[in-house]
Amino acid sequence: MFIMTKRRLITAIAAAVTSLMLVIGLPFVTSLHDQVAQATTTLRVYAAVSLTEVIQDIENAYNTDNPGAQISFINTLDSSGALLTQIQNPTNESAGIPDIFISAATTQMNTLQSASKLASGWPVTVATNRLVLIKPTTFAAGSPTPSFSGFSTLTNASVRGIAIGTPTTVPAGNYGKQVLESTVSGCGGNIYTTLLNNSKLVFANNVRDVLSAVENKTLSSQTIDAGIVYTTDKDTSSQVSLVATAAQNCHSAIVYPAAVLSRTTNGTAAASFANYLSSSTARDKFTDLGFGVP
């Protein structure tokens, strides 16, 4: 009888301890589950297509550095002008898309700022770049072989086509137009109109399309012998070579302003990542891929 009573007592104590552990542990498990559920936020980032590689590197670094505040990034990459058009779409605004915008020029960002579409304290310049003239490593068949040594020599009769971003929507194209129009010594020699009238300029939707056109030696059914892109775009390809780098006084400053948009519903996460774009880690990522930093 004593043995049975003792066994019942032990069983009761064990049950009580188990119940106590469950009571104590349940809030912890629930809290942990809530933390995990809340830890991942989705941010939609609209970024200039020239940032394709570096923005992914920085996003990965951010998540590594912030294990308790993981972000799922959804990137849309295109010309800054095309992205601006999407941002101005009322459907995207009502949906809070995007959270962050990084353009390759001040023009598009200024448009949004003037319309009070940016969160307070933005934009902030996070990177810079240089403009270059490139050619394919081997020219398309034909005679004579294209001959040019810089921007001002693109009027040579042997040059069949020059790929350039549409200046009104593609910052690299606008910078390129500035170079070609410049009369400053060492720039383009004011040849833009001449090239345009001679059908030598072939326009692309963004700077990476320009790069592809030079790689493939064709755009819009026209033979391409040269293109104007950023130095960072050139560095992504083994199928093109450098002809010349535009002097910085040939065009306005090439900068990448970043901003959190006022429409975001993830303001804390958006500001955290946008600020991270100016961190020492992000600056290293930019310079590793050939960008400058302010």
Side-chain angles (χ1 to χ4, degrees):
M1 184 71 174
F2 173 76
I3 294 175
M4 291 298 294
T5 301
K6 185 175 181 181
R7 286 177 177 171
R8 289 195 189 100
L9 180 61
I10 293 172
T11 300
I13 292 172
V17 170
T18 301
S19 298
L20 182 61
M21 290 178 67
L22 286 172
V23 170
I24 295 173
L26 184 58
F28 173 76
V29 172
T30 302
S31 175
L32 181 61
H33 177 271
D34 289 344
Q35 288 177 24
V36 171
Q38 295 171 5
T40 301
T41 301
T42 296
L43 287 185
R44 295 180 182 271
V45 179
Y46 280 17
V49 71
S50 52
L51 296 170
T52 297
E53 293 78 18
V54 72
I55 194 65
Q56 293 175 7
D57 287 348
I58 294 173
E59 288 168 351
N60 290 338
Y62 177 89
N63 279 334
T64 298
D65 289 346
N66 296 275
Q70 295 290 286
I71 292 176
S72 174
F73 294 97
I74 299 177
N75 297 332
T76 298
L77 303 157
D78 206 336
S79 72
S80 299
L83 294 173
L84 174 63
T85 298
Q86 293 182 51
I87 292 171
Q88 292 174 319
N89 185 317
T91 301
N92 283 334
E93 180 162 15
S94 61
I97 299 172
D99 301 284
I100 293 171
F101 179 41
I102 314 170
S103 63
T106 58
T107 302
Q108 294 76 22
M109 196 65 76
N110 289 343
T111 297
L112 294 174
Q113 189 170 38
S114 297
S116 300
K117 301 299 183 183
L118 305 183
S120 178
W122 302 97
V124 171
T125 296
V126 297
T128 64
N129 216 331
R130 297 294 300 273
L131 199 70
V132 297
L133 178 65
I134 59 172
K135 64 181 180 180
T137 50
T138 58
F139 290 112
S143 181
T145 300
S147 175
F148 55 96
S149 57
F151 292 93
S152 63
T153 60
L154 288 172
T155 52
N156 290 351
S158 60
V159 179
R160 293 162 290 188
I162 304 148
I164 183 173
T166 302
T168 54
T169 56
V170 183
N174 184 42
Y175 296 129
K177 180 183 179 184
Q178 291 177 32
V179 172
L180 297 174
E181 288 180 333
S182 177
T183 57
V184 174
S185 177
C187 296
N190 196 25
I191 62 172
Y192 181 84
T193 301
T194 299
L195 294 173
L196 187 63
N197 291 340
N198 290 334
S199 301
K200 293 293 184 74
L201 296 177
V202 188
F203 297 102
N205 292 329
N206 62 56
V207 71
R208 286 299 172 93
D209 285 349
V210 173
L211 180 66
S212 295
V214 179
E215 292 175 328
N216 297 322
K217 309 168 194 176
T218 184
L219 178 62
S220 300
S221 301
Q222 188 164 338
T223 299
I224 297 299
D225 296 318
I228 300 175
V229 299
Y230 299 120
T231 187
T232 52
D233 298 306
K234 183 265 298 178
D235 289 345
T236 67
S237 177
S238 60
Q239 297 174 262
V240 302
S241 58
L242 176 67
V243 177
T245 300
Q248 291 178 298
N249 63 346
C250 296
H251 56 76
S252 55
I254 300 174
V255 295
Y256 290 81
V260 175
L261 274 70
S262 57
R263 67 188 63 178
T264 181
T265 57
N266 299 298
T268 300
S272 177
F273 177 69
N275 283 318
Y276 188 81
L277 292 169
S278 298
S279 68
S280 59
T281 299
R283 289 168 66 88
D284 287 345
K285 297 294 184 185
F286 279 122
T287 56
D288 285 347
L289 291 183
F291 291 88
V293 290

